[in-house]
Amino acid sequence: MHYKNTLEFAREMDGSDPLKDFRDKFYIPIINGKQCIYFVGNSLGLQPKTTQDYIYNELENWANYGVEAHFHAKIPWVDYHDIFVEPLSKIVGCLLREVVVMNHLTVNLHLLLTTFYRPTKERYKIICEAKAFPSDQYALESQVKLHACLPDRQGLDPDNAIIEVAPREGEYNIRTEDIVETINKYANEVAVVLFGGINYYSGKVFDMKAITEAAHKVGAYCGFDLAHAAGNIELHLHDWDVDFACWCSYKYLNSGPGNIAGAYIHQRFITDVSLPRLAGWWGYDKENRFKMEKNFKPIPTAEGWQLSNSPIISMAAHKAALDIFEEAGMENLLKKSKLLTGYLLFILDEINANSNKKVGEIITPKNEEERGCQVSILMLQKGKEVFNALKKHGVLSDWREPDVIRVAPVPLYNTFEDVYQFGQILKHLIENVQA
Ligand SMILES: *Cc1c(COP(=O)(O)O)cnc(C)c1O
């Protein structure tokens, strides 16, 4: 694509964008009386205009039918979660029976680690990314401590059980070859390899296929936290042979703050009743669930990991958002995303080239295969001042200590004009804001 840093060009791109009508399906927050430039869909996706109706509908069902809505609502509540299987299987790339919507991301991570992290005296290590999202760090640390409570696991300690792979000196991103080398180095001691699908700080996409392959070669399980990947990049969990994964629905999936999350378990495990798990009645064989008998018999799909009955009000919001994904099509979104973020990278390069002093280092890989829509700019001058001023100028972005501004143009509702205007504002601020 031959990009141009002009308003005319940006408007031309928007005019010929096959997804241009989707922006109008979302509420865009207002700053200074104008729609803001919302570049924080990686943190909280915007509200679809249909969400309130979807929720209201279920409130009506509750009002009209009471408990009977479990069977008589238009989408009966007992099986409400089933409607997510198809759209999500396309978003994360898996078989229908491998995906389930339940709980929250960190809860699901714990449930999956309960199944897949079974440390023994010899095999007890977890390999993960250095500076993983804090919730993942705490989850891993507490999982190790949970097992360390057992009398025969004395000596198991997060300090020696958790091995972090970091970027090389002077680099910002972890190299795949270093991940593979670390896995091989601890070959017989590795129980689980757990990475993000995308590093939340730099926006780098991990090579999930290569990491899974390396983990399997040494006999370890491999899982991914897809918080920043689901709805943002192309995923093929099943074909990559990934063992387990989980994600949240409120970032790129636009389902509302803290809303219901998802999980994936490869089909080779879903009928294996010998695998340990934490169980609840909603994971019990559907035919016989209401017999309320002793002895847990799991549903032979990912649903077998469910604990509780479904929060329908939250799920209605998830449905409103996923219906829009279905309408737009993941392939179309990915196509636009590459163009849109490509444009942002072009604009940032222009600003750097035309300033007397380099403004920011782009720490997100430029290569389309290694990034989603998020771009992380390591600010080389006036970072915090520029960040604060961006908001006053109608741009919502986010700040990560010590000096990174993250911006994520989302293909469902951001425009090329957003990206162009952002460039204009950033350039103006760099030249005018006082350090
Ligand atoms: C956003 C995010 C989380 C958040 O976890 P919750 O359980 O949804 O609060 C966890 N991990 C990663 C990598 C994230 O980006």
Side-chain angles (χ1 to χ4, degrees):
M1 170 61 60
H2 185 69
Y3 292 119
K4 285 188 212 143
N5 190 5
T6 65
L7 182 59
E8 194 192 359
F9 174 82
R11 286 188 172 159
E12 240 173 68
M13 291 297 285
D14 286 329
S16 60
D17 169 14
L19 297 176
K20 63 171 176 258
D21 295 336
F22 280 82
R23 175 179 172 87
D24 197 40
K25 294 180 190 289
F26 292 86
Y27 290 111
I28 314 286
I30 304 291
I31 296 182
N32 305 333
K34 249 178 42 186
Q35 289 190 335
C36 75
I37 298 177
Y38 194 80
F39 278 174
V40 278
N42 56 333
S43 190
L44 181 69
L46 287 177
Q47 182 184 150
K49 289 178 178 167
T50 47
T51 301
Q52 295 179 21
D53 277 349
Y54 278 55
I55 290 177
Y56 184 73
N57 216 356
E58 296 310 334
L59 290 173
E60 285 270 281
N61 284 331
W62 183 18
N64 292 332
Y65 302 116
V67 71
E68 294 282 293
H70 278 98
F71 302 99
H72 298 314
K74 190 162 166 226
I75 306 168
W77 291 349
V78 267
D79 298 320
Y80 198 97
H81 63 273
D82 285 350
I83 56 178
F84 299 120
V85 159
E86 200 178 320
L88 280 173
S89 72
K90 292 180 205 159
I91 290 172
V92 302
C94 70
L95 307 180
L96 300 179
R97 55 188 177 277
E98 292 175 324
V99 64
V100 62
V101 165
M102 58 182 188
N103 313 314
H104 296 90
L105 196 171
T106 310
V107 176
N108 288 341
L109 185 57
H110 274 300
L111 291 180
L112 294 168
L113 287 169
T114 303
T115 295
F116 292 99
Y117 181 56
R118 309 302 301 171
T120 62
K121 275 230 143 32
E122 297 73 35
R123 211 177 253 289
Y124 60 94
K125 286 198 195 297
I126 299 171
I127 295 185
C128 64
E129 68 208 91
K131 298 214 182 103
F133 191 86
S135 201
D136 299 41
Q137 294 184 38
Y138 307 145
L140 293 177
E141 182 188 316
S142 59
Q143 282 281 329
V144 172
K145 287 185 175 167
L146 186 68
H147 288 281
C149 294
L150 298 172
D152 63 333
R153 307 285 159 74
Q154 303 290 315
L156 190 63
D157 181 325
D159 285 345
N160 66 34
I162 300 174
I163 305 292
E164 296 184 343
V165 188
R168 293 184 188 182
E169 184 83 29
E171 295 183 8
Y172 301 107
N173 289 295
I174 305 169
R175 296 190 189 197
T176 308
E177 63 211 79
D178 291 351
I179 300 172
V180 172
E181 199 185 298
T182 309
I183 294 171
N184 291 336
K185 179 173 164 195
Y186 294 103
N188 299 323
E189 296 164 84
V190 190
V192 166
V193 175
L194 182 87
F195 273 75
I198 293 188
N199 180 276
Y200 78 99
Y201 188 75
S202 73
K204 179 199 161 84
V205 176
F206 287 108
D207 186 339
M208 288 173 256
K209 183 165 183 270
I211 295 171
T212 305
E213 218 173 271
H216 287 173
K217 250 192 204 148
V218 302
Y221 288 128
C222 190
F224 293 93
D225 175 339
L226 303 175
H228 283 266
N232 178 20
I233 57 166
E234 193 170 342
L235 294 164
H236 299 284
L237 297 181
H238 177 84
D239 289 345
W240 295 336
D241 212 26
V242 170
D243 296 311
F244 65 95
C246 49
W247 55 89
C248 55
S249 69
Y250 51 84
K251 291 174 180 167
Y252 294 106
L253 296 180
N254 309 319
S255 299
N259 204 0
I260 191 108
Y264 152 94
I265 299 141
H266 192 281
Q267 69 161 348
R268 68 178 153 269
F269 304 112
I270 57 184
T271 52
D272 183 350
V273 292
S274 72
L275 283 171
R277 73 176 92 189
L278 293 174
W281 74 318
W282 227 246
Y284 193 90
D285 167 32
K286 283 182 197 171
E287 299 292 307
N288 297 303
R289 183 189 284 152
F290 288 99
K291 289 188 185 156
M292 310 279 197
E293 285 173 343
K294 265 194 183 308
N295 293 326
F296 181 71
K297 287 195 199 76
I299 303 170
T301 71
E303 291 167 279
W305 272 259
Q306 291 176 116
L307 300 178
S308 299
N309 75 95
S310 304
I312 301 299
I313 314 285
S314 312
M315 284 190 168
H318 197 22
K319 176 160 170 51
L322 290 188
D323 281 356
I324 296 178
F325 265 85
E326 279 283 274
E327 199 187 333
M330 203 54 212
E331 253 174 60
N332 300 326
L333 287 168
L334 291 169
K335 214 157 144 190
K336 175 171 172 190
S337 182
K338 285 176 182 160
L339 277 176
L340 190 62
T341 295
Y343 189 45
L344 174 61
L345 290 167
F346 165 81
I347 298 267
L348 290 171
D349 278 348
E350 284 252 313
I351 294 176
N352 268 332
N354 294 324
S355 303
N356 51 7
K357 200 165 132 212
K358 197 171 174 188
V359 173
E361 179 98 52
I362 313 293
I363 63 172
T364 309
K366 301 236 163 119
N367 170 5
E368 276 182 3
E369 310 296 309
E370 288 182 85
R371 62 167 169 83
C373 69
Q374 176 194 320
V375 172
S376 300
I377 313 161
L378 189 140
M379 296 300 289
L380 301 173
Q381 40 170 317
K382 302 189 264 191
K384 200 65 186 267
E385 292 78 10
V386 168
F387 169 74
N388 290 331
L390 277 171
K391 191 148 125 193
K392 291 196 191 112
H393 285 75
V395 179
L396 289 182
S397 59
D398 90 13
W399 178 257
R400 282 288 167 261
E401 293 295 340
D403 42 21
V404 165
I405 294 178
R406 298 189 304 178
V407 275
V410 171
L412 265 176
Y413 46 74
N414 285 122
T415 59
F416 289 85
E417 185 168 339
D418 278 344
V419 171
Y420 168 78
Q421 298 293 4
F422 168 72
Q424 294 293 303
I425 295 167
L426 184 64
K427 188 165 181 295
H428 169 81
L429 294 178
I430 303 271
E431 286 161 9
N432 295 289
V433 163
Q434 299 301 322

